[in-house]
Amino acid sequence: MRKNRLILLRKVWLTGLALWLVAACAPQIAIPPLTWPSVVITQDRLAYYVRNLRLPGTRQELRVRDGGANTWMPLALIQSLEFTDKEGDDYRPAKIVLTSGEAIHTEVAINYLLEGYTDLGYWNMPLTKV
């Protein structure tokens, strides 16, 4: 009787160990980080909540002009962009707030297309209409 109990206890222990090893070796599911949608407001005052807002293509940078000098500003550094006046010659005055909290007043090139995803699916809009 005691021998049967030891065999049963050993089987239960080995089964538990095997299940623990299987669970430990199973691939871990990476949970994507929580992201908030970007708010894009058009000139007609329509607001879109867009996830994964980006510029089509490989270069994720806005072209800005300050005092005649053109530079590229990565989208990853921009917290918000607000146009402050009507468009001129392919550039439009804007206030850019960086992720560091610093505000920059400059001109942004508007010959771009914005794209992303809304709750209805793929979304895109020319930057001239924002």
Side-chain angles (χ1 to χ4, degrees):
M1 181 85 168
R2 185 172 171 92
K3 190 174 182 177
N4 288 341
R5 186 184 282 171
L6 286 174
I7 291 172
L8 181 62
L9 185 62
R10 202 179 290 161
K11 285 182 180 179
V12 169
W13 187 81
L14 287 173
T15 304
L17 180 64
L19 290 173
W20 181 79
L21 284 173
V22 167
C25 295
Q28 299 297 319
I29 298 173
I31 299 173
L34 182 63
T35 57
W36 301 101
S38 300
V39 179
V40 179
I41 301 174
T42 65
Q43 291 177 357
D44 300 330
R45 301 285 185 229
L46 290 173
Y48 295 93
Y49 292 93
V50 183
R51 292 182 321 275
N52 301 329
L53 185 68
R54 50 175 275 141
L55 301 169
T58 57
R59 193 169 197 158
Q60 294 302 300
E61 299 172 326
L62 281 178
R63 190 171 69 192
V64 297
R65 178 172 70 180
D66 193 14
N70 288 329
T71 58
W72 294 94
M73 183 173 292
L75 289 181
L77 296 178
I78 299 174
Q79 179 179 344
S80 69
L81 168 70
E82 179 182 350
F83 291 115
T84 57
D85 203 1
K86 300 292 180 193
E87 68 181 274
D89 55 342
D90 296 333
Y91 285 88
R92 192 167 170 193
K95 175 185 171 187
I96 298 175
V97 177
L98 302 176
T99 54
S100 64
E102 181 183 359
I104 299 172
H105 296 278
T106 186
E107 294 180 316
V108 176
I110 55 173
N111 294 333
Y112 293 105
L113 186 69
L114 292 174
E115 70 177 6
Y117 294 92
T118 65
D119 55 346
L120 299 176
Y122 177 77
W123 173 90
N124 67 22
M125 178 173 284
L127 198 54
T128 55
K129 292 187 178 184
V130 174

